[in-house]
Amino acid sequence: MSVALGITRPLPVRTTSVGDPGDLLASLPETAPFAWIRHGEGLVGWGEAARVTVPPGPGRFAWARQWLTDVFGHAAVNDEVGIPGTGPVAFGTFTFDEDSAGSTLVVPQAILARRDGHAWLTIIGETPVEHFTPIRSPGRISYGDGSLSAPEWEAIVARAARRIRDGELEKVVLARDLLATAERSIDVRLLLARLATRYPECYTFSVAGLVGATPELLIRRTGQEIESLVLAGTTPRGTSPADDLARGAALFASAKDRHEHECAIASVRSTLAPLCSALQTPDEPELLVLPNVQHLASHVTGRLADGASVLDVVAAMHPTAAVGGTPTATAIDVIRELEGMDRAGYAGPVGWIDAHGDGEWGIALRSAQISGRRARLFAGGGIMATSDPALELAEAQAKFRVMQYALEG
């Protein structure tokens, strides 16, 4: 890590097996915690051995890959465990728009992890000294409009649907933001604990102030094997078990939502096929039922042909039709024109990568950017030719509830 850190000799990296650490999130200090947790397993980190802000532009993933090669290549690694996620690991968040600033990679000084029956601790250099303070409540939360009010956002949904009907594109995903202000500084650890408990099926994450619980796995690489979970098509949960079943059945039967899902699957298939020696996509989606919404979901699996790292696959896949639209280039232009805001890290890739190119990256949905007492929440949905602006607004509001719950409890 000598080049990245400006030092004259490599820093030692030591990974050792440990006993079951219990709740991983309970081990985090308050300052800048990193996390990637699902069903209680995953990685948490703290301290910074190396950090970089990735320059924006079309070559940002290649730049990030080179930086990681330099950082990992200058590490003196003693890894007693030797599975994906051991040794030095970088957590990362990339902005949705390649022209937006703010993409960040961080190699924590300490990583505590539990996966697949193994638990380990990685320390880079000296053990970081952290003060493990009690978790604090942010107090009362007040909300205000983000870049657009609800009626203004409904208006751009109507404009987008009209342009789809006119044949300019098939689908565009539009997002909106909501601003929250707390009485006291927001303790990210509290948000992570609430999200991981309430949404165990999702990937609860924290990287460089971006915090959330995403249901969408962009890509997992383990050796040459890859996996992706594609979500497109959403309905809020019902008010009763019968209503819930009816909403799920209606979603599964909806021509609009099924077409939206097919656009997303086609996007992933066309992107991954050139990288894979084998690729499997299901003929029919399934229902993914979460506490706040139901999604049409499809599991995609494959085997890489040329040894690409997980970040190479991320670069090829982002943005997917599920968060951009179809055709993607046209949809991105429409988003830039209509949305009226910078998404920052929302709907961009977020996750981790190790020195062997293994890792897990999700799409940063159900998330917020946290800074002191303030949080900027994000939500959105896929707009099709027949989209109803009022229903799209209701869907976005249902998605906001994830982070509102994290803030309020």
Side-chain angles (χ1 to χ4, degrees):
M1 300 194 179
S2 53
V3 175
L5 295 176
I7 61 177
T8 58
R9 60 184 179 83
L11 283 179
V13 179
R14 183 173 178 83
T15 297
T16 56
S17 294
V18 296
D20 188 343
D23 182 1
L24 292 169
L25 295 172
S27 301
L28 286 172
E30 182 176 356
T31 306
F34 302 94
W36 181 265
I37 298 292
R38 181 174 183 263
H39 286 308
E41 295 204 333
L43 298 80
V44 298
W46 58 95
E48 293 184 2
R51 181 188 181 107
V52 72
T53 299
V54 180
R60 60 182 180 154
F61 288 106
W63 192 98
R65 173 75 183 270
Q66 183 57 50
W67 184 83
L68 288 168
T69 298
D70 179 59
V71 169
F72 292 150
H74 286 79
V77 181
N78 181 355
D79 183 354
E80 299 177 2
V81 183
I83 62 174
T86 61
V89 168
F91 286 78
T93 169
F94 287 84
T95 57
F96 171 80
D97 193 320
E98 65 181 22
D99 293 333
S100 294
S103 300
T104 304
L105 291 168
V106 183
V107 179
Q109 280 184 279
I111 295 172
L112 181 65
R114 179 178 56 233
R115 290 186 53 173
D116 302 326
H118 300 273
W120 65 90
L121 176 67
T122 297
I123 298 293
I124 299 178
E126 299 297 325
T127 303
V129 177
E130 297 287 350
H131 299 289
F132 292 85
T133 57
I135 294 177
R136 295 173 293 100
S137 165
R140 186 176 60 86
I141 308 293
S142 59
Y143 295 96
D145 284 335
S147 304
L148 298 174
S149 67
E152 289 171 333
W153 194 75
E154 285 183 300
I156 71 164
V157 169
R159 289 172 60 191
R162 186 162 54 247
R163 290 170 71 164
I164 294 170
R165 290 194 295 273
D166 289 343
E168 184 177 346
L169 69 168
E170 280 190 77
K171 169 192 172 181
V172 62
V173 180
L174 292 178
R176 61 185 301 248
D177 58 347
L178 180 68
L179 303 181
T181 304
E183 285 185 274
R184 295 179 289 275
S185 180
I186 299 168
D187 190 332
V188 167
R189 297 172 301 171
L190 179 62
L191 309 188
L192 293 173
R194 287 172 172 170
L195 291 171
T197 300
R198 189 174 180 87
Y199 301 96
E201 288 285 342
C202 295
Y203 297 86
T204 297
F205 61 86
S206 172
V207 184
L210 186 66
V211 179
T214 180
E216 190 147 359
L217 178 67
L218 180 62
I219 196 73
R220 174 188 295 118
R221 176 191 186 266
T222 306
Q224 297 304 102
E225 304 299 322
I226 60 170
E227 180 183 355
S228 181
L229 178 64
V230 181
L231 305 181
T234 307
T235 188
R237 292 294 301 271
T239 56
S240 68
D243 183 36
D244 208 38
L245 287 173
R247 286 173 181 261
L251 175 64
F252 201 81
S254 165
K256 176 259 186 190
D257 289 291
R258 291 295 289 266
H259 180 56
E260 180 184 348
H261 193 81
E262 270 304 312
C263 288
I265 284 291
S267 170
V268 170
R269 187 185 297 117
S270 64
T271 301
L272 288 180
L275 300 174
C276 293
S277 58
L279 185 66
Q280 296 83 39
T281 58
D283 295 329
E284 290 274 321
E286 59 189 51
L287 281 176
L288 176 63
V289 180
L290 301 173
N292 60 321
V293 293
Q294 301 183 62
H295 294 292
L296 293 180
S298 290
H299 290 269
V300 177
T301 58
R303 183 172 179 83
L304 292 174
D306 63 354
S309 79
V310 69
L311 195 60
D312 295 324
V313 185
V314 169
M317 293 184 71
H318 178 74
T320 66
V323 292
T326 306
T328 301
T330 304
I332 297 301
D333 288 341
V334 172
I335 289 169
R336 288 170 173 163
E337 177 187 346
L338 295 184
E339 224 171 52
M341 69 173 187
D342 183 349
R343 292 185 178 186
Y346 171 74
V350 62
W352 62 271
I353 178 174
D354 69 15
H356 300 288
D358 289 322
E360 294 177 301
W361 289 75
I363 299 175
L365 307 175
R366 319 295 193 269
S367 60
Q369 190 71 42
I370 309 297
S371 179
R373 296 191 303 121
R374 302 186 183 278
R376 185 181 176 212
L377 285 62
F378 299 91
I383 311 305
M384 307 294 287
T386 58
S387 289
D388 181 325
L391 293 179
E392 297 296 340
L393 179 65
E395 179 182 320
Q397 289 172 329
K399 292 173 179 175
F400 275 138
R401 293 191 192 112
V402 173
M403 290 310 299
Q404 287 177 310
Y405 167 78
L407 288 166
E408 300 171 17

